[in-house]
Amino acid sequence: DTEVTQTPKHLVMGMTNKKSLKCEQHMGHRAMYWYKQKAKKPPELMFVYSYEKLSINESVPSRFSPECPNSSLLNLHLHALQPEDSALYLCASSQWTGAISNYGYTFGSGTRLTVV
Amino acid sequence: DQQVKQNSPSLSVQEGRISILNCDYTNSMFDYFLWYKKYPAEGPTFLISISSIKDKNEDGRFTVFLNKSAKHLSLHIVPSQPGDSAVYFCAASEGETSGSRLTFGEGTQLTVNP
């Protein structure tokens, strides 16, 4: 299994809703990432988990709450989002945070989030 | 402040010809560079990378060139194929051991015409 699986693929939520994005990988990777990509913009790093511990938070608003229950799973909990948070949310993994050189990241297909 | 720049939003080439995608960076601390390819409705796919200790890395039809003094890298695809049509992102990292943070350029849409 060489994939990163993200669910759901599409999500529409209201500004008062609570929802979660899920990401799963079974490649034994120990680093997992959340990126946000707006239309016609590059992916922007949100969070990095290394060995199930949060190692980087790029000053992301608290309405986004990441969780890494185990080495294969990464969640992003969403609450009280704004319409400007509508974007493609990408999950990625790598063997560990120092392994970019050999393999790059493996990205999932993303969750297209629309906040109404 | 855009530290990685891809100044051409789009590029169109004929099948069989060479595609050259360019990328410039401003952060002198970057010393590892990657190219990703992205189809619509899919996540980016890792293509090829290069360390700053090299000036060229080749993998099949894909070659990446790095000019450190000019802070410029390029991706050459030869021969180009219609299936190569996608958005290509250049990305940079501050060192192989700090590879947890990638900074991406804005992407170049490559269209290869049959």
Side-chain angles (χ1 to χ4, degrees):
Chain A
D1 188 352
T2 58
E3 288 187 345
V4 173
T5 303
Q6 289 187 244
T7 55
K9 291 197 181 303
H10 301 275
L11 178 63
V12 179
M13 61 184 291
M15 288 188 284
T16 58
N17 292 159
K18 286 186 180 180
K19 295 287 184 184
S20 297
L21 309 185
K22 297 186 184 301
C23 175
E24 190 168 2
Q25 57 87 16
H26 296 287
M27 296 176 279
H29 288 177
R30 302 311 299 271
M32 296 186 77
Y33 312 81
W34 280 115
Y35 275 79
K36 173 181 178 178
Q37 186 177 21
K38 302 278 277 183
K40 301 197 184 297
K41 293 293 185 183
E44 293 180 350
L45 182 66
M46 299 175 73
F47 302 104
V48 179
Y49 272 83
S50 178
Y51 291 85
E52 295 103 69
K53 294 192 188 310
L54 182 65
S55 60
I56 293 177
N57 176 342
E58 291 285 84
S59 302
V60 180
S62 60
R63 57 185 184 269
F64 295 91
S65 175
E67 178 196 20
C68 190
N70 59 57
S71 61
S72 299
L73 292 174
L74 185 66
N75 298 321
L76 185 64
H77 303 298
L78 313 173
H79 174 54
L81 294 195
Q82 303 297 312
E84 57 265 30
D85 296 321
S86 299
L88 179 68
Y89 288 84
L90 292 162
C91 174
S93 70
S94 64
Q95 280 201 327
W96 57 86
T97 53
I100 290 297
S101 56
N102 294 329
Y103 303 101
Y105 291 172
T106 301
F107 278 92
S109 297
T111 294
R112 177 71 61 186
L113 174 68
T114 303
V115 182
V116 297
Chain B
D1 175 27
Q2 190 72 18
Q3 298 184 64
V4 178
K5 300 178 186 178
Q6 293 175 255
N7 291 320
S8 298
S10 63
L11 174 67
S12 183
V13 300
Q14 285 300 118
E15 181 178 6
R17 306 295 290 270
I18 185 170
S19 295
I20 300 176
L21 296 100
N22 293 303
C23 178
D24 298 292
Y25 61 97
T26 56
N27 185 344
S28 58
M29 298 300 291
F30 288 148
D31 63 0
Y32 209 81
F33 305 90
L34 307 92
W35 285 94
Y36 282 82
K37 171 181 176 180
K38 187 178 184 303
Y39 293 117
E42 294 184 13
T45 303
F46 172 70
L47 266 181
I48 193 169
S49 62
I50 188 167
S51 166
S52 59
I53 63 173
K54 296 185 177 182
D55 55 18
K56 176 182 175 182
N57 188 26
E58 191 171 353
D59 184 1
R61 297 186 297 114
F62 302 92
T63 302
V64 57
F65 296 92
L66 175 63
N67 182 334
K68 272 192 74 174
S69 60
K71 294 192 176 68
H72 176 83
L73 63 155
S74 60
L75 175 68
H76 292 210
I77 305 173
V78 56
S80 300
Q81 300 172 354
D84 296 329
S85 298
V87 177
Y88 288 78
F89 289 99
C90 170
S93 171
E94 293 182 30
E96 296 183 17
T97 56
S98 310
S100 56
R101 180 184 283 108
L102 288 183
T103 302
F104 285 84
E106 298 205 351
T108 296
Q109 171 70 57
L110 173 66
T111 302
V112 180
N113 301 304

